[in-house]
Amino acid sequence: MKAEYINPFLESARIVLEQLINVRPTTGQLGIKDVKFVENHIWIQIGMSGQMQGDIVFGLHEDVALKLVSAMMGGFSVTQMDEMSQSAISELGNMISGNASTILYNQGVRVDITPPKLIQTAAAAGFTPTKALTIPLMMEHIGQLDIKVLIS
């Protein structure tokens, strides 16, 4: 697991969040942590193939997801993870990953990404807990978004 794998996703997340919700996130401590799917969290899984194989997982508490979706909707208060909210938060993961794949392409790394898979329960995760390169992004008045890189 190489630390430089996470940098394009970190850079992309900062750009997308700044443009989309007008918040400049701050970066937490980079580390290797267990990926544990816990209840009341939303997980957006993006598969990668090509010169990088594996998954990128964005994790956030459901309350943070609702605040993010509200901000994405121009401040309209969103109070439940209905179909529209799920679509919006999945699209956020897609935008971040799409931007990151462009950054990687410009660095000479060819990758393809899968459509986002929204996971709302640990049972639906579909893969066993493992170690991942993880970095949290903190968004003022919104909360924390974790970027987890599971690349081989």
Side-chain angles (χ1 to χ4, degrees):
M1 223 179 315
K2 297 179 182 176
E4 63 263 19
Y5 287 161
I6 204 164
N7 290 333
F9 294 91
L10 182 58
E11 181 183 342
S12 176
R14 284 187 185 137
I15 292 167
V16 169
L17 290 168
E18 237 180 280
Q19 291 175 346
L20 200 59
I21 62 170
N22 203 29
V23 168
R24 185 167 183 84
T26 57
T27 306
Q29 185 67 40
L30 176 68
I32 295 178
K33 296 182 182 172
D34 287 326
V35 175
K36 294 180 187 170
F37 292 94
V38 293
E39 301 307 316
N40 299 321
H41 275 68
I42 304 290
W43 306 92
I44 307 153
Q45 177 185 0
I46 309 279
M48 299 190 71
S49 60
Q51 289 179 274
M52 289 172 65
Q53 304 277 328
D55 292 292
I56 303 299
V57 179
F58 302 99
L60 59 165
H61 193 277
E62 191 170 310
D63 291 341
V64 175
L66 291 170
K67 289 178 185 175
L68 267 173
V69 171
S70 293
M72 291 170 71
M73 303 283 189
F76 177 78
S77 180
V78 177
T79 58
Q80 61 180 338
M81 285 305 293
D82 58 14
E83 195 173 310
M84 178 66 90
S85 300
Q86 292 173 12
S87 176
I89 206 70
S90 293
E91 184 56 25
L92 176 66
N94 197 40
M95 291 167 71
I96 293 170
S97 299
N99 257 8
S101 66
T102 300
I103 292 168
L104 287 163
Y105 179 85
N106 291 335
Q107 294 173 351
V109 180
R110 309 292 186 254
V111 294
D112 289 313
I113 60 172
T114 65
K117 176 182 176 185
L118 188 72
I119 302 166
Q120 290 186 277
T121 63
F127 57 89
T128 55
T130 186
K131 300 261 185 213
L133 198 56
T134 304
I135 192 158
L137 286 179
M138 281 74 72
M139 298 164 286
E140 191 173 358
H141 306 298
I142 293 178
Q144 180 172 310
L145 168 71
D146 291 325
I147 302 173
K148 300 178 182 294
V149 178
L150 296 88
I151 301 290
S152 55

